[in-house]
Amino acid sequence: MRKRSVISLKNRPCIINAASVVGKTESEGPLNTLFDVMYPDDGAGSKSWEEAEASLVHEAVEVLLRKTKKEADDIDLIFGGDLLNQCTATTFGVKKYGIPLAGLFGACSTFALGMCLAALAVDGGYTENSIAVASSHFCSAEKQFRYPLEYGGQRAPSAQRTVTGAGACLISHAGSDVKIEKLLLGTVLDLNVTDPANMGAAMAPAAYKTLSDFMAETGTLPEDYDMLLTGDLGSVGSGILRRLMRDNAGIDISEKHYDCGNMIFDPYLQDVHAGGSGCGCSAAVVCSKIFKDLKAGRLKKVLFAGTGALMSPLTSQQKAGIPGIAHAVLITSEVHKVED
Amino acid sequence: MRKRSVISLKNRPCIINAASVVGKTESEGPLNTLFDVMYPDDGAGSKSWEEAEASLVHEAVEVLLRKTKKEADDIDLIFGGDLLNQCTATTFGVKKYGIPLAGLFGACSTFALGMCLAALAVDGGYTENSIAVASSHFCSAEKQFRYPLEYGGQRAPSAQRTVTGAGACLISHAGSDVKIEKLLLGTVLDLNVTDPANMGAAMAPAAYKTLSDFMAETGTLPEDYDMLLTGDLGSVGSGILRRLMRDNAGIDISEKHYDCGNMIFDPYLQDVHAGGSGCGCSAAVVCSKIFKDLKAGRLKKVLFAGTGALMSPLTSQQKAGIPGIAHAVLITSEVHKVED
């Protein structure tokens, strides 16, 4: 057995602020008053969907710098990634800043992975200011992972909609009452789910493992948290996670569990099937609603487990299973609740 | 101006050991007595080139665990990545171990990036044992980035050959006289080189920036090092780097500069055009010759700058420039030279 997994951050680095940028469908969803930038169309004035996604990344960092009154030169390191082949949205999105980049790949768990590593770098005193950023784009993802958009392919009811969006947060050693306390990097879990139209099922076991390991190692239960937040299992994966927690760990998380993929779209008003997904989904939700609720003291303790499906179109064509991973970050707020 | 960039590691984490696994062409090259495993053919007994690449990753970690007498459960975290879309060689290569994974993407700079982040995690006391691993495979890369292998496409003289190989090293807080002293994470540099058959030219400016920044900030010159090692500029990129250093920084690195892409193949006996490339190139070279030379005290101070071309086939089709990046690691040895 592994001796320890949960990492405690002795200096509890702060999330200074966060910025979110989304596309049209997301701006029509239930969180639409909380995003910083909403593009009226997903093209974002760019020549290609990939360029548009890079613009989301650039804009998220731009807004974050503005909100935190920082210059690019004040930032020591960006931890960032996306879903595109060779993570080009991140590279092209941040290249103008001249900020050192640690490129990440964790599929939809990338934002949580970025928060983990940025927090480590700050906590250890290696960087003063680190940014975590992640993005995805519905059109660039459909084109790359599924069908050409023009084909108008039908999507399965278990399929999630890739979020057009990006989120970025600034992590520093001091300056905010929203803090990162602990983290748990996830392991790759492949239970041979092979349906690429059901990523929620592929990722749920990894979310189960990370959340149950975290709670077991820290001796906590759902009632110790304000929110157990996954990103992004969607409706199908969320059901599987809740059942796995109840049946295997004897823990009922239903009152505390929320999922970024379920929060970003309205399941009744928007035709999104099993909810949202993509690196940009949890990034945009955490960097809007969750951060604002922590900042206002409405949330005090959030265990955020970003989930990722580590497949490629090719591994699915080759009939490999879809491995899942989940990285967890414990975020707390010491803000006294203020009424809005 | 950025205030500081070079990160000094106060506890100087150790490289305990390293393992390298390569394919057929690499095993016919000048370093062939130094690799741990040499596959007689690049198929590695797998059903696909992608599976073969995942086997290289798995084998590199396996050999490393054996050499260091560690179990998978002793390892806290793997930092790994590769060139495949969605980094699947790493995911599938490490999934059997159940070791937490931080997935990285830095193109051919991935191994250096992994060393940097693994060293940070160990130095800060967040992990006891971290592994950095990276891989590439000639056949999976040709198929994905260039032409189907069966097409037998001609390669330009400036093109590099993707190395079939993987390298893994174990970084811990104590237990070896080979230590990581400092690091410098690189920035994305895009000078609008657009020829994907000339990655060396695209990466050389990033190598120049990282090496010259490192030497300027630490007040050092080439004579302070035993080796300035780039990975992997190849012959074309190496020439550009040397000229940039001489003409822009007034520093002649020619006596101390080596490049993993030039070392792994024989330019006269092997038909490899501008040398080797791919995440596996610097990983395999650093984890064989370089580590052995440090371990034996033949090298005392190596500044290793892993270089990456952060493009995708799609960004090249869309006529974007090829952004480069270079991450640097200063490795020292306190071993008294022993004669072989």
Side-chain angles (χ1 to χ4, degrees), chain B residues 151-284:
Chain B
Y151 176 67
Q154 291 269 331
R155 301 168 62 247
S158 60
Q160 292 167 250
R161 181 188 167 96
T162 306
V163 162
T164 297
C169 70
L170 176 67
I171 299 177
S172 302
H173 64 290
S176 161
D177 290 326
V178 179
K179 294 176 189 276
I180 300 181
E181 306 258 349
K182 293 178 194 291
L183 29 110
L184 174 56
L185 278 299
T187 59
V188 179
L189 213 59
D190 183 359
L191 300 187
N192 209 30
V193 173
T194 54
D195 179 4
N198 192 355
M199 299 286 190
M203 297 187 285
Y208 159 72
K209 179 164 170 37
T210 293
L211 287 176
S212 58
D213 282 359
F214 191 99
M215 288 196 270
E217 197 175 326
T218 56
T220 54
L221 287 168
E223 49 261 41
D224 297 311
Y225 301 91
D226 290 337
M227 184 184 264
L228 300 169
L229 179 69
T230 50
D232 336 275
L233 299 175
S235 57
V236 176
S238 292
I240 298 173
L241 170 66
R242 292 182 187 195
R243 274 196 301 279
L244 285 171
M245 291 296 286
R246 188 192 60 197
D247 298 346
N248 291 12
I251 297 174
D252 177 8
I253 61 166
S254 55
E255 278 190 32
K256 296 295 172 76
H257 175 240
Y258 291 79
D259 181 78
C260 298
N262 296 335
M263 293 165 79
I264 197 162
F265 297 123
D266 186 312
Y268 304 107
L269 295 175
Q270 295 183 291
D271 182 25
V272 294
H273 299 255
S277 69
C279 307
C281 180
S282 60

